[in-house]
């Protein structure tokens, strides 16, 4: 899947993006991960565009999916979208045009790679949408979260309705399940990502991931499921769908041991990492993404502890005001599903509890674990400043590791960043500089190649930084350069580290000495 073009003809809640018309190159080279990279200062529209892409695909998913379809009267914006997708080893081009904001579905056109139009029926449109939309945000208030949170709420409600016999018998399709199309990878998903990868992921690629953080593997973890406790609504608590009942049954088989408390219908599963456990997990759950999805669906049930009216009010406010409002956090003791006792082996064979890892290590495992397991073709990654908590070494190796984990996939990748490390590993035609001038968004490509470029050039192009030295030290250095006192300048040299700007102090000393010679009397 590759996004070729997005045009936003009208978008009321994000006026900065109105009129945006961006085209993206598609070199068909699957041997390298070559992300589209959005750079620029805060508030220049980078994250807004990522969210708009997610918004559009969320809208298309709702009105074209076969199960739990929602007739959406209001489009998120008036847009034109073009992307390529691979189906049954054939490449197709999809064009979507939304001309009216209310009451009218978009026109969806299908073409072969020679732009010959093909017949497309309404019930077939879903199969030409991206299979997975994966979002990542490191912050609590990132706008990218909104469409994913809405999807989370909607999917959780559908899961709850499918567990109720009276609804299943009267509402056609209510009992059917469908795998989620949207995955938001934020801090709350870390544990599931780590467990799924370390228990059922590709061993060679998992090692690549772990080598960077001095961890060799997982020793054990615990899962808890409780559906009939004091926080659960109704006398019978949270109902499980047949699919989730099957998941619980499979967890019983895979666990080394489990306990059951009938009074609150609670299970505590203990898992130990060994060959037998991994084989059983692979047999009953499949790949790491399938195992993660099974756990993800159980985790959705935590949303049902919160009163439905309150959840609906949050969702309404979120949409009306474009605010990232999350449901209140459910305490660990009240959750329907929770993780605990995750123990990891360090290189020196000592143990560390997962929660004792640093924020950067959590983020590293979450991002690259997600990239590793989300190998579904025709997927799109939307990563909003994923390197926020990374040290310089990890930032420098970001694209390299991404490539090692995901090269060869038919996926598209978008990333926003402020890091010159990431930009220096992206081709010029994939780098988009966002600038806001007098309230108007300007997007341009760099004038020179960015792949392998110096940080000075990247920082100048993206952020208008004439100097890369920090502002306070640069001011002090400039003040010293203005001095006519050679001795004062020489004494001040030791106060500054090595930098291109420090060269001007040496040059100033030479100038003053030359002037002294010129002023000397001729004898």
């Amino acid at each position: 899947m590759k996004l070729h073009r997005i045009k936003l003809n009208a978008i009321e809640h994000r006026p900065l993006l109105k009129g945006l018309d961006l085209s993206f190159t598609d070199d068909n080279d699957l041997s390298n991960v070559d992300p589209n990279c959005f750079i620029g200062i805060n508030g220049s529209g980078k994250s807004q565009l990522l969210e708009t892409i997610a918004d559009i695909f969320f809208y298309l998913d709702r009105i074209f999916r076969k199960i739990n379809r929602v007739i959406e009267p209001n489009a998120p914006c008036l847009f034109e979208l073009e992307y390529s997708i691979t189906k049954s080893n054939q490449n197709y081009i999809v064009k979507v045009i939304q001309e009216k904001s209310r009451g009218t579905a978009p026109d969806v056109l299908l073409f072969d790679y020679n732009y010959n139009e093909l017949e497309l029926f309404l019930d077939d449109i879903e199969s030409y949408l991206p299979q997975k939309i994966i979002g990542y945000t490191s912050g609590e208030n990132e706008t990218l979260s909104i469409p994913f949170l809405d999807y989370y709420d909607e999917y959780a409600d559908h899961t709850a309705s499918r567990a109720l016999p009276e609804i299943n018998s009267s509402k056609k399709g209510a009992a059917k399940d469908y795998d989620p199309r949207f995955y938001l990878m934020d801090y709350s998903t870390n544990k599931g990502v780590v467990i799924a990868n370390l228990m059922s992921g590709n061993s060679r690629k998992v090692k690549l991931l772990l080598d960077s953080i001095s961890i060799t593997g997982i020793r054990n973890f615990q899962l808890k499921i409780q559906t009939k406790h004091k926080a659960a609504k109704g006398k019978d608590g949270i109902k499980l769908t047949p699919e989730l009942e099957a998941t619980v049954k499979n967890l019983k088989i895979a666990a080394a041991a489990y306990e059951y408390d009938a009074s609150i219908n609670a299970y505590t599963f203990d898992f130990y990492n060994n060959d037998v456990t991994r084989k059983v997990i692979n047999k009953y759950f499949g790949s790491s993404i399938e195992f993660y999805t099974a756990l993800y669906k159980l985790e959705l049930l935590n949303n049902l502890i919160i009163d439905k009216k309150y959840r609906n009010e949050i969702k309404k406010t979120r949409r009306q005001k474009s605010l990232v409002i999350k449901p209140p956090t459910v305490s660990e003791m009240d959750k329907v599903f929770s993780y605990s006792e995750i123990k990891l082996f360090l290189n020196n064979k000592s143990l560390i509890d997962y929660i004792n890892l640093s924020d950067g290590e959590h983020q590293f495992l979450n991002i690259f674990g997600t990239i590793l397991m989300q190998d579904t073709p025709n997927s799109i990654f939307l990563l909003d400043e994923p390197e926020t908590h990374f040290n310089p070494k990890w930032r420098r190796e970001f694209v390299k590791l991404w490539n090692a984990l995901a090269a060869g996939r038919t996926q598209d990748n978008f990333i926003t960043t402020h890091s010159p490390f990431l930009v220096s590993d992206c081709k010029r035609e994939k780098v988009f500089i966002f600038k806001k001038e007098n309230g108007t968004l300007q997007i341009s490509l760099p004038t020179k190649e960015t792949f392998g470029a110096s940080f000075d050039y990247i920082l100048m192009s993206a952020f208008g930084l004439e100097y890369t030295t920090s502002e306070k030290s640069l001011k002090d250095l400039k003040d010293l350069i203005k001095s006519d006192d050679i001795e004062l300048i020489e004494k001040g040299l030791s106060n500054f580290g090595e930098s291109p700007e420090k060269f001007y102090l040496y040059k100033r000393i030479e100038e003053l000495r030359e002037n002294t010679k010129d002023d000397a009397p001729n004898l």
Side-chain angles (χ1 to χ4, degrees):
M1 187 270 174
K2 293 290 181 182
L3 185 60
H4 294 175
R5 180 178 179 238
I6 181 170
K7 183 179 180 183
L8 303 177
N9 296 313
I11 180 165
E12 292 183 5
H13 56 299
R14 299 186 192 107
L16 185 64
L17 299 184
K18 182 180 180 181
L20 177 144
D21 190 350
L22 273 187
S23 295
F24 307 99
T25 60
D26 181 8
D27 53 15
N28 294 315
D29 180 12
L30 298 180
S31 62
N32 286 292
V33 172
D34 195 8
N36 297 286
C37 185
F38 298 164
I39 59 175
I41 64 172
N42 298 83
S44 59
K46 307 184 300 298
S47 298
Q48 289 186 34
L49 181 53
L50 285 192
E51 187 196 3
T52 301
I53 294 171
D55 255 336
I56 289 172
F57 282 122
F58 177 44
Y59 167 69
L60 297 177
D61 173 74
R62 298 184 89 204
I63 62 176
F64 291 125
R65 65 186 178 222
K66 294 184 180 67
I67 301 173
N68 197 31
R69 180 177 289 175
V70 178
I71 304 304
E72 175 65 74
N74 299 330
C77 55
L78 303 186
F79 64 89
E80 297 175 33
L81 202 67
E82 180 179 322
Y83 59 90
S84 59
I85 202 161
T86 303
K87 184 178 179 183
S88 301
N89 295 320
Q90 295 292 320
N91 295 322
Y92 299 93
I93 294 172
V94 181
K95 287 187 177 181
V96 187
I97 303 171
Q98 181 75 46
E99 294 184 325
K100 294 183 179 180
S101 60
R102 298 175 182 271
T104 303
D107 293 323
V108 183
L109 308 175
L110 182 67
F111 302 85
D112 64 20
Y113 247 52
N114 294 317
Y115 276 91
N116 298 309
E117 188 170 358
L118 306 172
E119 189 173 27
L120 181 61
F121 297 102
L122 176 63
D123 282 345
D124 292 333
I125 292 176
E126 181 188 26
S127 65
Y128 291 94
L129 296 178
Q131 286 187 255
K132 304 291 182 187
I133 295 94
I134 303 108
Y136 178 83
T137 173
S138 61
E140 288 294 314
N141 298 311
E142 296 294 341
T143 54
L144 177 61
S145 303
I146 294 177
F148 291 90
L149 292 173
D150 284 351
Y151 188 91
Y152 184 102
D153 292 342
E154 196 167 277
Y155 195 91
D157 286 341
H158 179 66
T159 301
S161 70
R162 286 187 297 112
L164 300 176
E166 64 272 20
I167 293 180
N168 290 337
S169 61
S170 62
K171 186 177 178 181
K172 185 178 179 181
K176 294 182 180 179
D177 182 43
Y178 61 98
D179 278 341
R181 191 185 304 273
F182 283 73
Y183 290 82
L184 177 65
M185 300 298 172
D186 59 9
Y187 189 79
S188 66
T189 67
N190 284 2
K191 297 175 183 177
V193 171
V194 169
I195 288 171
N197 275 297
L198 300 192
M199 294 303 295
S200 59
N202 179 297
S203 57
R204 182 182 65 83
K205 291 187 175 181
V206 167
K207 187 177 184 303
L208 283 176
L209 189 154
L210 296 182
D211 282 348
S212 297
I213 55 174
S214 301
I215 289 173
T216 58
I218 186 171
R219 189 190 74 168
N220 63 277
F221 63 95
Q222 191 175 83
L223 304 178
K224 294 183 178 181
I225 301 172
Q226 53 178 356
T227 62
K228 192 179 177 182
H229 55 96
K230 63 179 182 180
K233 304 294 186 271
K235 64 176 182 177
D236 296 323
I238 302 297
K239 294 284 189 178
L240 297 185
T241 64
E243 179 201 18
L244 294 181
E245 291 281 9
T247 297
V248 173
K249 180 179 178 181
N250 291 337
L251 290 174
K252 291 179 186 178
I253 298 171
Y258 70 88
E259 294 179 356
Y260 178 65
D261 183 347
S263 65
I264 56 173
N265 195 28
Y267 290 91
T268 300
F269 299 97
D270 287 297
F271 293 82
Y272 287 86
N273 183 12
N274 53 48
D275 290 341
V276 173
T277 302
R278 290 195 299 273
K279 285 179 181 178
V280 175
I281 286 175
N282 286 328
K283 178 180 178 180
Y284 288 96
F285 293 99
S287 66
S288 56
I289 184 59
E290 290 171 320
F291 185 32
Y292 174 79
T293 300
L295 301 178
Y296 173 83
K297 289 179 179 180
L298 285 169
E299 196 168 5
L300 285 173
L301 299 177
N302 294 329
N303 208 41
L304 303 178
I305 295 296
I306 303 164
D307 185 82
K308 187 174 181 179
K309 290 183 179 180
Y310 186 44
R311 283 187 281 123
N312 288 338
E313 189 62 33
I314 290 174
K315 185 176 179 180
K316 181 180 177 181
T317 305
R318 200 158 57 208
R319 275 291 157 191
Q320 287 180 341
K321 299 184 179 181
S322 294
L323 296 175
V324 182
I325 303 175
K326 296 184 178 181
T329 302
V330 178
S331 68
E332 288 296 318
M333 64 182 297
D334 289 337
K335 285 182 177 180
V336 177
F337 176 79
S338 62
Y339 303 94
S340 61
E341 299 298 323
I342 304 174
K343 304 291 185 182
L344 304 172
F345 281 114
L346 297 176
N347 283 352
N348 61 8
K349 298 185 179 180
S350 63
L351 284 173
I352 186 172
D353 196 302
Y354 174 78
I355 63 173
N356 290 330
L357 296 177
S358 69
D359 284 345
E361 288 169 319
H362 285 146
Q363 188 181 29
F364 186 95
L365 287 168
N366 196 19
I367 293 170
F368 289 112
T370 298
I371 289 171
L372 174 56
M373 72 179 186
Q374 288 282 10
D375 59 355
T376 309
N378 296 320
S379 298
I380 182 170
F381 281 85
L382 306 171
L383 307 182
D384 192 18
E385 298 182 25
E387 80 294 347
T388 306
H389 295 292
F390 282 12
N391 61 57
K393 182 177 183 293
W394 288 353
R395 294 182 184 186
R396 182 171 179 262
E397 296 174 350
F398 193 102
V399 177
K400 177 186 174 183
L401 183 54
W402 192 350
N403 194 73
L405 298 176
R409 299 177 183 174
T410 54
Q411 298 177 335
D412 208 358
N413 308 288
F414 289 82
I415 187 170
T416 70
T417 185
H418 295 130
S419 170
F421 285 105
L422 273 64
V423 180
S424 185
D425 264 343
C426 296
K427 297 286 189 179
R428 171 185 174 272
E429 62 271 17
K430 295 281 190 173
V431 176
F432 299 85
I433 302 172
F434 283 59
K435 292 183 179 179
K436 187 167 63 174
E437 299 179 358
N438 299 320
T440 301
L441 177 61
Q442 304 291 332
I443 303 177
S444 61
L445 297 178
T447 56
K448 298 178 182 178
E449 183 57 71
T450 50
F451 187 74
S454 71
F455 288 4
D456 287 356
Y457 169 68
I458 293 170
L459 293 171
M460 168 63 82
S461 300
F463 305 106
L465 296 181
E466 184 178 354
Y467 301 98
T468 55
T469 305
S470 295
E471 195 66 29
K472 173 64 169 63
S473 57
L474 181 63
K475 180 182 181 302
D476 291 351
L477 189 147
K478 286 182 176 180
D479 289 343
L480 192 58
I481 288 175
K482 297 175 183 178
S483 174
D484 294 328
D485 188 332
I486 295 177
E487 185 177 345
L488 179 64
I489 297 174
E490 288 179 330
K491 186 182 296 185
L493 278 170
S494 62
N495 294 329
F496 299 94
E498 296 305 316
S499 69
E501 289 74 27
K502 188 176 179 179
F503 165 77
Y504 292 102
L505 287 177
Y506 292 105
K507 186 177 180 181
R508 178 59 175 161
I509 291 171
E510 290 180 7
E511 289 176 352
L512 292 173
R513 285 175 176 165
E514 287 296 324
N515 291 338
T516 302
K517 290 179 183 178
D518 292 341
D519 292 341
N522 295 321
L523 299 178

